[in-house]
């Protein structure tokens, strides 16, 4: 039966280069879709102090007269407490879309708010910044457009302070970082905002705020890591960021996060890990790992060890972040024989195989294994004999064409470089496992190629 059905399929040459090219094209499509999805991930950072939460929930929509009154009090109130209270009331009102649109219609409202950011009083700065990030979170295009004039001030303000400024103004920087991250997601950002940022000293300051060490503040680092992420996703000039040492800073931060997990100091760690992993993954698509070793020693096996420490942490506590870590591992191993060797010599293949049972990451795991296998016979000797072949036979029992298709490509590479593996595959009823997929239009060419290689080498 099997040989008869094979006769109906066209012959297909499927060498290593063709497999690599096909996988890279598919990854490019996935990265593009992923980058577009990541650009729309607005996060609402609203942390009212104890006792304020109920008042915030009870906040009502503000009319034009009320908005004007709060702005007047905030700008010209006789006592600081009165000015701060007016901004708190305005900020709560701005949680409503109706109030946001009322605010932007009032002439000079944004100018007053930006002016309050220049106040020498940290509490007034903080509330003004919180008002701004309520506005920047708006889904209404007109509100986001109205926030754009504030960007130039944000750049000047954020670029003008040294790391010594961080300590007394942490809350202000965190709120402003959040507001900037929201503005960076506006459709106008690649043309109107990001070029100005890249022309300023802000990228260097952002990276400084993310440097591991005793001065690192988690909240501030999280917000500016998201800012960096949106800038990288825009692809305006990622080469400049790499020149400024972005890969080095992010790589060191990755090592620091892994050390925090080992010290059991992982509270809130996932908040920073997510944007850091995304930044690294996306930047590494701009340059090959072997070419950036001088920045952070990305060929160093410490990077692989740190990433697996984080993957284990995600598996236990934050499974939703596993894809982020595996995307980075994929981009690290795609063109780096050195890091593939590290994975093998550190016996990390088996922990990787354990993740195959998770449907949301199985394709990524298989792609990483393909990255290793395509490096040649010496690498495939590490993969077989071992638990890989039984895992692949189990996958062939599944019906997901994407997962099965990636497993077929891995089998093809394994058989090309380790003919002994094809004999074991045939002995373990591999042809019967393939037979169930031979009528699938998406898979039949790859099924045929794997079968031919297994039978004839």
């Amino acid at each position: 039966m099997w040989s008869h059905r094979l006769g109906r399929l066209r012959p297909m040459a499927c060498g290593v280069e063709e497999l690599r090219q096909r996988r890279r094209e598919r990854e490019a499509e996935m990265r593009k879709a992923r980058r577009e999805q990541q650009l729309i991930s607005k996060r609402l950072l609203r942390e009212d102090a104890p006792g304020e939460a109920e008042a915030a929930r009870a906040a009502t929509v503000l009319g034009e007269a009320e908005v004007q009154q709060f702005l007047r009090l905030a700008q010209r109130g006789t006592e600081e407490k009165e000015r701060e209270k007016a901004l708190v009331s305005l900020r709560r009102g701005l949680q409503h879309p109706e109030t946001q649109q009322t605010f932007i219609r009032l002439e000079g409202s944004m100018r007053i708010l930006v002016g309050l950011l220049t106040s020498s009083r940290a509490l007034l700065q903080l509330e003004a910044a919180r008002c701004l990030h309520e506005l920047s979170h708006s889904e209404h295009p007109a509100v986001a457009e109205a926030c754009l004039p504030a960007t130039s001030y944000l750049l000047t303000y954020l670029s003008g302070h040294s790391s010594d400024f961080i300590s007394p103004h942490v809350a202000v920087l965190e709120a402003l970082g959040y507001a900037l991250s929201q503005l960076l997601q506006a459709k106008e950002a690649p043309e109107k905002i990001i070029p100005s940022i890249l022309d300023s000293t802000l990228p260097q300051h952002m990276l400084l705020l993310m440097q591991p060490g005793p001065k690192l503040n988690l909240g501030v680092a999280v917000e500016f890591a998201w800012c960096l992420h949106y800038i990288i996703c825009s692809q305006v000039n990622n080469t400049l960021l790499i020149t400024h040492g972005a890969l080095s800073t992010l790589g060191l931060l990755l090592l620091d996060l892994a050390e925090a997990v080992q010290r059991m100091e992982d509270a809130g760690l996932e908040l920073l890990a997510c944007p850091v992993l995304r930044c690294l993954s996306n930047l590494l698509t701009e340059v090959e790992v072997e070419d950036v070793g001088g920045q952070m020693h990305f060929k160093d096996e410490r990077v692989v060890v740190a990433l697996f420490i984080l993957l284990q942490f995600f598996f236990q506590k934050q499974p939703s972040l596993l894809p982020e870590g595996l995307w980075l591992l994929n981009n690290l191993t795609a063109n780096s024989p050195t890091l593939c060797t590290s994975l093998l010599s550190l016996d990390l293949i088996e922990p990787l195989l354990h993740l195959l049972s998770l449907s949301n990451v199985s394709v990524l795991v298989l792609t990483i294994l393909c990255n290793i296998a395509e490096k040649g016979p010496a690498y495939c000797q590490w993969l077989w004999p071992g638990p890989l072949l039984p895992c692949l036979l189990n996958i062939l029992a599944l019906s997901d064409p994407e997962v099965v298709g990636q497993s077929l490509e891995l089998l093809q590479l394994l058989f090309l470089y380790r003919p002994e593996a094809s004999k074991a595959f045939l002995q373990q009823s591999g042809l019967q496992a393939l037979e169930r997929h031979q009528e699938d239009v998406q898979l039949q060419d790859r099924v045929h190629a794997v079968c031919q290689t297994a039978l004839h080498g």
Side-chain angles (χ1 to χ4, degrees):
M1 180 193 298
W2 182 259
S3 58
H4 170 69
R5 289 182 178 176
L6 282 179
R8 295 184 299 173
L9 297 172
R10 64 179 175 83
M12 179 182 177
C14 204
V16 175
E17 286 303 319
E18 184 177 348
L19 288 171
R20 181 186 291 116
Q21 181 61 28
R22 181 191 300 162
R23 193 164 62 257
R24 294 294 173 260
E25 289 172 358
R26 200 160 52 242
E27 285 179 26
E29 292 173 3
M30 291 170 67
R31 276 197 298 269
K32 182 181 178 183
R34 186 168 180 267
R35 192 159 47 238
E36 290 171 352
Q37 181 185 29
Q38 288 174 357
L39 276 169
I40 308 170
S41 56
K42 290 179 179 287
R43 300 160 301 117
L44 186 56
L45 182 70
R46 187 175 292 148
E47 295 181 357
D48 290 314
E52 287 191 13
E54 187 175 343
R57 285 194 295 271
T60 58
V61 176
L62 301 179
E64 185 174 314
E66 292 169 301
V67 173
Q68 286 179 322
Q69 180 187 9
F70 288 138
L71 283 172
R72 181 180 57 79
L73 287 172
Q75 188 180 27
R76 301 173 185 169
T78 56
E79 296 182 6
E80 183 178 346
K81 198 68 179 175
E82 180 184 35
R83 299 175 69 189
E84 181 190 345
K85 186 177 179 181
L87 280 174
V88 169
S89 298
L90 178 61
R91 186 244 302 174
R92 290 176 182 162
L94 288 173
Q95 293 171 13
H96 297 279
E98 298 91 335
T99 305
Q100 294 171 356
Q101 293 181 53
T102 298
F103 178 89
I104 65 170
R105 284 197 301 267
L106 287 173
E107 186 178 353
S109 58
M110 186 61 72
R111 186 173 63 252
I112 292 171
L113 192 58
V114 170
L116 289 166
L117 287 170
T118 65
S119 168
S120 59
R121 305 293 185 182
L123 289 176
L124 291 178
Q125 286 182 314
L126 176 57
E127 287 305 327
R130 285 176 169 172
C131 287
L132 182 58
H133 82 54
E134 291 292 351
L135 288 165
S136 67
H137 186 75
S138 175
E139 299 291 340
H140 197 283
V143 178
E145 183 76 23
C147 289
L148 291 178
T151 307
S152 59
Y153 173 74
L154 286 175
L155 296 181
T156 304
Y157 181 87
L158 292 170
S159 298
H161 295 297
S162 67
S163 58
D164 295 331
F165 177 85
I166 298 171
S167 182
H169 291 79
V170 163
V172 178
L173 280 176
E174 185 175 350
L176 289 175
Y178 176 83
L180 183 60
S181 75
Q182 299 302 92
L183 292 172
L184 288 170
Q185 296 172 73
K187 64 180 181 180
E188 304 87 357
E191 293 81 28
K192 295 184 178 180
I193 300 176
I194 292 174
S196 299
I197 290 175
L198 294 175
D199 286 342
S200 73
T201 59
L202 184 56
Q204 294 99 307
H205 283 274
M206 290 167 60
L207 292 171
L208 185 64
L209 293 171
M210 296 165 59
Q211 283 281 356
K215 289 187 177 182
L216 179 74
N217 177 272
L218 180 63
V220 172
V222 166
E223 296 311 325
F224 285 98
W226 280 109
C227 288
L228 187 62
H229 164 64
Y230 295 126
I231 293 170
I232 292 168
C233 279
S234 74
Q235 295 185 299
V236 171
N237 190 350
N238 286 340
T239 302
L240 179 64
L241 294 174
I242 293 172
T243 302
H244 284 323
L247 280 169
S248 178
T249 297
L250 292 163
L252 291 171
L253 197 49
L254 181 76
L255 299 182
D256 195 61
L257 289 170
E259 289 174 8
V261 169
Q262 291 184 304
R263 295 193 303 266
M264 305 295 287
E265 298 172 2
D266 54 28
L269 176 145
E270 71 282 356
L271 299 175
L272 183 56
C274 184
V276 167
L277 290 169
R278 288 185 178 186
C279 286
L280 279 169
S281 294
N282 290 329
L283 277 182
L284 285 173
T285 64
E286 307 280 335
V287 61
E288 292 193 9
V289 173
E290 303 292 326
D291 295 333
V292 299
Q295 273 207 41
M296 211 302 288
H297 305 297
F298 268 88
K299 294 183 286 186
D300 193 322
E301 66 182 25
R302 290 181 305 157
V303 175
V304 174
V305 172
L307 191 48
F308 269 81
I309 290 171
L310 290 174
L311 287 172
Q312 183 180 27
F313 171 73
F314 298 153
F315 182 76
Q316 295 170 349
K317 296 187 177 181
Q318 294 288 337
S320 62
L321 290 183
L322 280 171
E324 306 297 342
L326 289 169
W327 264 107
L328 176 55
L329 187 59
N330 173 64
N331 292 350
L332 285 168
T333 55
N335 298 299
S336 175
T338 305
L339 289 181
C340 289
T341 299
S342 295
L343 267 175
L344 296 168
S345 62
L346 293 168
D347 292 327
L348 294 173
I349 296 301
E350 195 158 344
L352 201 57
L353 292 177
H354 288 159
L355 299 177
L356 281 174
S357 61
L358 303 177
S359 59
N360 65 323
V361 297
S362 52
V363 171
L364 276 171
V365 172
L366 290 165
T367 304
I368 293 163
L369 292 169
C370 283
N371 290 343
I372 298 169
E374 73 178 11
K375 301 300 186 292
Y379 292 84
C380 287
Q381 285 179 1
W382 289 80
L383 298 177
W384 189 88
L388 176 60
L389 196 55
C391 287
L392 294 179
L393 284 166
N394 289 335
I395 288 174
L396 292 178
L398 303 176
S399 56
D400 185 331
E402 190 177 9
V403 177
V404 172
Q406 197 65 58
S407 69
L408 290 171
E409 294 193 11
L410 181 53
L411 282 170
Q412 180 76 342
L413 287 166
L414 195 61
F415 296 166
L416 285 170
Y417 288 130
R418 290 286 283 170
E420 303 94 326
S422 61
K423 295 176 184 177
F425 178 77
L426 295 173
Q427 291 169 358
Q428 296 176 41
S429 303
L431 290 183
Q432 288 83 346
L434 290 173
E435 185 175 11
R436 63 174 294 171
H437 302 291
Q438 64 176 331
E439 301 297 338
D440 189 320
V441 176
Q442 300 179 64
L443 298 174
Q444 56 186 204
D445 284 347
R446 279 175 281 181
V447 167
H448 179 64
V450 170
C451 182
Q452 292 283 36
T453 306
L455 289 171
H456 308 297

